[in-house]
Amino acid sequence: GCALRVPPSATRMDSLSAIAYVSSALGDVSEARLEALLVDSRGFNLSKGVTGVLLYHDGKFFQYIEGPVSGVEEVYARIKASRRHFGLVELLHERIHGRVFSEWSMGFACAPRNFILQLERQRWSDVSAQLTSGAEVSAGLDFLLQFWKGSTRGMS
Protein backbone atom coordinates (compact mmCIF):
# COMPACT_ATOMS: atom_id res chain seq x y z
CA GLY A 1 0.00 0.00 0.00
CA CYS A 2 0.90 3.65 -0.29
CA ALA A 3 0.07 4.66 3.26
CA LEU A 4 2.91 6.34 5.09
CA ARG A 5 3.15 6.90 8.80
CA VAL A 6 5.19 10.07 9.15
CA PRO A 7 7.80 9.98 11.92
CA PRO A 8 6.98 12.60 14.61
CA SER A 9 10.22 14.46 13.85
CA ALA A 10 9.05 14.94 10.26
CA THR A 11 5.84 16.71 11.21
CA ARG A 12 7.41 19.81 12.79
CA MET A 13 5.86 22.74 10.99
CA ASP A 14 9.08 24.71 10.54
CA SER A 15 11.07 21.87 8.99
CA LEU A 16 9.05 20.95 5.88
CA SER A 17 9.71 21.78 2.25
CA ALA A 18 8.16 20.93 -1.10
CA ILE A 19 9.41 20.59 -4.67
CA ALA A 20 7.38 20.31 -7.87
CA TYR A 21 8.85 19.70 -11.31
CA VAL A 22 8.14 18.38 -14.77
CA SER A 23 10.45 16.29 -16.94
CA SER A 24 10.44 14.02 -19.98
CA ALA A 25 11.08 10.28 -19.96
CA LEU A 26 14.19 9.00 -21.67
CA GLY A 27 13.12 6.27 -24.07
CA ASP A 28 9.93 4.25 -23.99
CA VAL A 29 8.27 3.79 -20.62
CA SER A 30 6.63 0.38 -20.40
CA GLU A 31 4.14 -0.46 -17.69
CA ALA A 32 6.77 -2.75 -16.10
CA ARG A 33 9.39 0.02 -16.13
CA LEU A 34 6.93 2.48 -14.57
CA GLU A 35 5.97 -0.05 -11.88
CA ALA A 36 9.65 -0.66 -11.04
CA LEU A 37 10.21 3.10 -10.78
CA LEU A 38 7.25 3.45 -8.39
CA VAL A 39 8.31 0.54 -6.15
CA ASP A 40 11.84 1.95 -5.93
CA SER A 41 10.65 5.53 -5.32
CA ARG A 42 8.12 4.53 -2.66
CA GLY A 43 10.73 2.62 -0.68
CA PHE A 44 13.29 5.42 -0.82
CA ASN A 45 10.74 8.15 -0.05
CA LEU A 46 9.39 6.16 2.90
CA SER A 47 12.90 5.88 4.34
CA LYS A 48 13.30 9.69 4.12
CA GLY A 49 9.83 10.63 5.43
CA VAL A 50 8.89 12.13 2.05
CA THR A 51 5.35 12.05 0.64
CA GLY A 52 3.95 13.17 -2.70
CA VAL A 53 2.48 12.26 -6.05
CA LEU A 54 3.72 11.41 -9.52
CA LEU A 55 1.65 12.00 -12.64
CA TYR A 56 2.58 10.50 -15.99
CA HIS A 57 1.37 10.61 -19.56
CA ASP A 58 3.07 9.52 -22.77
CA GLY A 59 6.64 10.36 -21.77
CA LYS A 60 5.87 13.38 -19.57
CA PHE A 61 6.31 13.35 -15.78
CA PHE A 62 5.04 15.75 -13.13
CA GLN A 63 6.04 15.20 -9.52
CA TYR A 64 5.27 16.96 -6.24
CA ILE A 65 7.22 15.90 -3.13
CA GLU A 66 7.03 17.18 0.43
CA GLY A 67 8.57 16.38 3.77
CA PRO A 68 11.49 17.17 6.06
CA VAL A 69 13.92 19.54 4.35
CA SER A 70 16.83 17.07 4.44
CA GLY A 71 14.69 14.17 3.19
CA VAL A 72 13.22 16.20 0.33
CA GLU A 73 16.70 17.36 -0.70
CA GLU A 74 18.00 13.76 -0.69
CA VAL A 75 15.06 12.55 -2.78
CA TYR A 76 15.43 15.50 -5.18
CA ALA A 77 19.18 14.94 -5.58
CA ARG A 78 18.40 11.34 -6.53
CA ILE A 79 15.72 12.49 -8.99
CA LYS A 80 18.07 15.01 -10.63
CA ALA A 81 20.77 12.34 -10.99
CA SER A 82 18.40 9.80 -12.57
CA ARG A 83 19.04 8.81 -16.16
CA ARG A 84 15.40 7.84 -16.66
CA HIS A 85 14.39 11.37 -17.62
CA PHE A 86 15.68 14.69 -19.00
CA GLY A 87 14.64 18.31 -19.34
CA LEU A 88 13.72 18.74 -15.68
CA VAL A 89 11.98 22.07 -15.07
CA GLU A 90 11.55 23.07 -11.43
CA LEU A 91 8.19 24.71 -10.70
CA LEU A 92 8.45 24.97 -6.91
CA HIS A 93 11.21 24.60 -4.31
CA GLU A 94 10.41 26.17 -0.96
CA ARG A 95 9.52 25.71 2.69
CA ILE A 96 5.93 24.75 3.53
CA HIS A 97 3.94 24.70 6.75
CA GLY A 98 2.06 21.46 6.24
CA ARG A 99 1.71 18.42 4.03
CA VAL A 100 -1.07 17.94 1.49
CA PHE A 101 -0.23 14.34 0.47
CA SER A 102 0.62 12.89 3.89
CA GLU A 103 -0.93 9.50 3.08
CA TRP A 104 1.09 8.84 -0.08
CA SER A 105 4.77 7.80 -0.05
CA MET A 106 4.39 8.19 -3.81
CA GLY A 107 0.87 8.36 -5.11
CA PHE A 108 0.57 7.75 -8.84
CA ALA A 109 -1.95 8.55 -11.53
CA CYS A 110 -2.00 8.64 -15.29
CA ALA A 111 -3.00 12.15 -16.27
CA PRO A 112 -4.01 13.62 -19.61
CA ARG A 113 -1.05 15.30 -21.33
CA ASN A 114 -2.91 18.62 -21.51
CA PHE A 115 -3.41 18.46 -17.73
CA ILE A 116 0.34 18.10 -17.15
CA LEU A 117 0.97 21.00 -19.55
CA GLN A 118 -1.60 23.09 -17.64
CA LEU A 119 0.14 22.23 -14.35
CA GLU A 120 3.36 23.67 -15.79
CA ARG A 121 1.63 26.96 -16.52
CA GLN A 122 0.08 27.41 -13.07
CA ARG A 123 1.45 29.78 -10.42
CA TRP A 124 3.42 27.72 -7.90
CA SER A 125 5.08 30.44 -5.84
CA ASP A 126 3.95 31.51 -2.36
CA VAL A 127 2.77 28.01 -1.41
CA SER A 128 4.34 28.33 2.03
CA ALA A 129 2.63 31.62 2.80
CA GLN A 130 -0.68 30.25 1.60
CA LEU A 131 -0.52 27.00 3.58
CA THR A 132 -0.43 28.86 6.89
CA SER A 133 -3.62 28.86 8.91
CA GLY A 134 -5.66 27.16 6.18
CA ALA A 135 -5.31 30.01 3.69
CA GLU A 136 -5.82 29.43 -0.02
CA VAL A 137 -3.16 27.34 -1.73
CA SER A 138 -1.35 28.46 -4.88
CA ALA A 139 -3.09 28.03 -8.21
CA GLY A 140 -0.75 25.17 -9.14
CA LEU A 141 -1.27 23.23 -5.94
CA ASP A 142 -5.02 23.78 -6.03
CA PHE A 143 -5.14 22.54 -9.65
CA LEU A 144 -3.17 19.42 -8.66
CA LEU A 145 -5.33 18.75 -5.58
CA GLN A 146 -8.58 19.00 -7.57
CA PHE A 147 -7.27 16.47 -10.10
CA TRP A 148 -5.93 14.17 -7.38
CA LYS A 149 -9.20 14.13 -5.43
CA GLY A 150 -11.10 13.26 -8.59
CA SER A 151 -8.66 10.56 -9.76
CA THR A 152 -8.37 8.78 -6.39
CA ARG A 153 -12.00 8.88 -5.28
CA GLY A 154 -12.80 5.51 -3.75
CA MET A 155 -9.15 4.42 -3.57
CA SER A 156 -7.70 3.81 -0.11
Side-chain angles (χ1 to χ4, degrees):
C2 299
L4 169 63
R5 294 207 183 278
V6 179
S9 61
T11 59
R12 286 201 2 238
M13 296 296 216
D14 60 346
S15 63
L16 299 174
S17 69
I19 294 172
Y21 71 89
V22 290
S23 66
S24 298
L26 197 57
D28 290 333
V29 179
S30 66
E31 198 170 309
R33 188 172 161 214
L34 198 52
E35 183 63 32
L37 168 76
L38 287 168
V39 168
D40 181 52
S41 297
R42 286 174 177 149
F44 190 75
N45 290 5
L46 186 63
S47 74
K48 303 300 176 187
V50 172
T51 56
V53 295
L54 175 69
L55 304 182
Y56 175 78
H57 180 80
D58 195 25
K60 191 80 168 169
F61 291 107
F62 166 87
Q63 188 167 24
Y64 175 92
I65 57 173
E66 61 191 8
V69 174
S70 60
V72 167
E73 292 304 326
E74 285 183 65
V75 169
Y76 193 45
R78 189 172 186 247
I79 289 166
K80 289 192 290 188
S82 173
R83 295 170 189 234
R84 298 175 187 160
H85 64 143
F86 67 97
L88 186 147
V89 176
E90 190 175 287
L91 304 172
L92 169 75
H93 192 159
E94 63 187 43
R95 297 281 179 119
I96 58 171
H97 294 281
R99 294 180 192 251
V100 290
F101 293 104
S102 60
E103 296 179 18
W104 299 91
S105 59
M106 184 45 52
F108 174 77
C110 287
R113 185 174 183 84
N114 67 340
F115 178 80
I116 293 176
L117 294 173
Q118 287 176 58
L119 271 173
E120 281 184 78
R121 291 193 283 262
Q122 299 295 316
R123 184 178 49 78
W124 283 91
S125 59
D126 303 325
V127 170
S128 61
Q130 292 157 348
L131 285 179
T132 57
S133 65
E136 290 292 312
V137 297
S138 72
L141 189 54
D142 184 56
F143 196 64
L144 174 61
L145 285 169
Q146 293 309 315
F147 172 81
W148 189 252
K149 288 173 187 170
S151 70
T152 60
R153 198 169 291 128
M155 292 173 52
S156 306

